[in-house]
Amino acid sequence: MAHKTSTDQVRELYESSADSYDKMMDGEIDHPLYTDTLGRLSTRIADLPGRGIDTSCGSGHMLELFHTRYDADRELLGIELSTRMAQIATARLQPAEATVMTGDMRDLRHLETGAAAIVSFFALHHLTPEEVVPTLVQWHRVLVAGGQLVVATWEGEGLIDYGSESDIAALRYSREQLEGWTQQAGFAIDRCVVEPVEGMGMDAVYLEGSKPLQG
């Protein structure tokens, strides 16, 4: 089966599930998956200027957690494909905490270079293999030298089965694929692990990388 899901289909999936996703994240955001990852990120960018960007910010829970627990002074930006998700995230985040805009994680041409960190949790599975490297290249451009990348995506091969929730085609990628694409885009890989996700029947790959210092 070919990967033919359109951007409109992906957007509609998250439009229809935004409110239930928001409630789910209320109960999950304190999981070590999020707290440990964001804690390490805050340490790594402590001496770096620039904002943090979540390129698939969903309901805004990760931005809120980062602001309230780790770095209340850093400017944060959330980008979200779904209008409803962006509305929920905007309502959750006070203007002083983060700015949220609707947009496509594949296209950051409107953003200037100068970010300290870019985060993407469970969104790359909506991209075709041909789209991943160009997307990572855009993220690399936006980061300052030494800037940090954090990516989580579903690990393995083949399609993700959404069951009765949706018939969209989304793809799992192996650790080796993700590492190769990330390096091809110009990043150094600092940490990459594969771990099971409770209740999902799938493993996830978690990658932390950095944009090498120039000179």
Side-chain angles (χ1 to χ4, degrees):
M1 180 177 178
H3 184 87
K4 296 182 179 178
T5 300
S6 69
T7 300
D8 287 342
Q9 287 174 297
V10 175
R11 182 184 294 108
E12 178 54 35
L13 171 65
Y14 291 104
E15 290 286 336
S16 62
S17 62
D19 292 274
S20 60
Y21 178 88
D22 180 39
K23 293 177 181 177
M24 177 194 74
M25 287 300 295
D26 283 342
E28 293 192 4
I29 191 60
D30 285 322
H31 190 283
L33 162 63
Y34 301 106
T35 57
D36 291 354
T37 300
L38 293 182
R40 285 193 301 271
L41 178 62
S42 68
T43 299
R44 295 200 307 274
I45 66 173
D47 296 326
L48 281 179
R51 60 186 172 184
I53 302 174
D54 188 338
T55 63
S56 46
C57 73
S59 52
H61 281 80
M62 289 186 66
L63 289 169
E64 181 183 46
L65 176 64
F66 190 84
H67 173 85
T68 58
R69 191 171 299 184
Y70 300 110
D71 192 341
D73 297 322
R74 190 175 299 273
E75 180 186 357
L76 300 176
L77 171 65
I79 299 171
E80 174 53 45
L81 185 66
S82 159
T83 301
R84 178 57 186 154
M85 281 283 202
Q87 290 172 343
I88 291 171
T90 298
R92 174 177 302 283
L93 299 159
Q94 298 299 319
E97 295 179 4
T99 301
V100 179
M101 64 172 61
T102 55
D104 192 320
M105 65 180 178
R106 296 170 297 183
D107 185 4
L108 303 189
R109 288 175 295 178
H110 57 291
L111 299 183
E112 297 180 356
T113 301
I118 283 185
V119 176
S120 173
F121 260 52
F122 300 106
L124 284 185
H125 58 279
H126 293 303
L127 303 187
T128 66
E130 295 76 19
E131 292 175 314
V132 176
V133 172
T135 298
L136 290 169
V137 167
Q138 289 219 34
W139 297 355
H140 184 278
R141 179 194 65 79
V142 170
L143 288 169
V144 297
Q148 300 295 304
L149 172 72
V150 179
V151 174
T153 194
W154 298 113
E155 201 274 343
E157 297 179 355
L159 292 172
I160 296 170
D161 183 5
Y162 281 84
S164 60
E165 183 179 356
S166 175
D167 60 358
I168 69 170
L171 293 169
R172 293 185 292 170
Y173 293 123
S174 70
R175 173 180 177 172
E176 291 74 21
Q177 284 177 303
L178 184 60
E179 287 180 334
W181 289 330
T182 302
Q183 291 172 321
Q184 188 178 338
F187 290 98
I189 297 173
D190 303 309
R191 182 178 187 269
C192 190
V193 298
V194 176
E195 297 179 354
V197 178
E198 184 178 353
M200 293 302 295
M202 292 186 291
D203 292 343
V205 54
Y206 304 98
L207 183 146
E208 298 171 10
S210 54
K211 181 175 179 175
L213 295 171
Q214 302 301 309

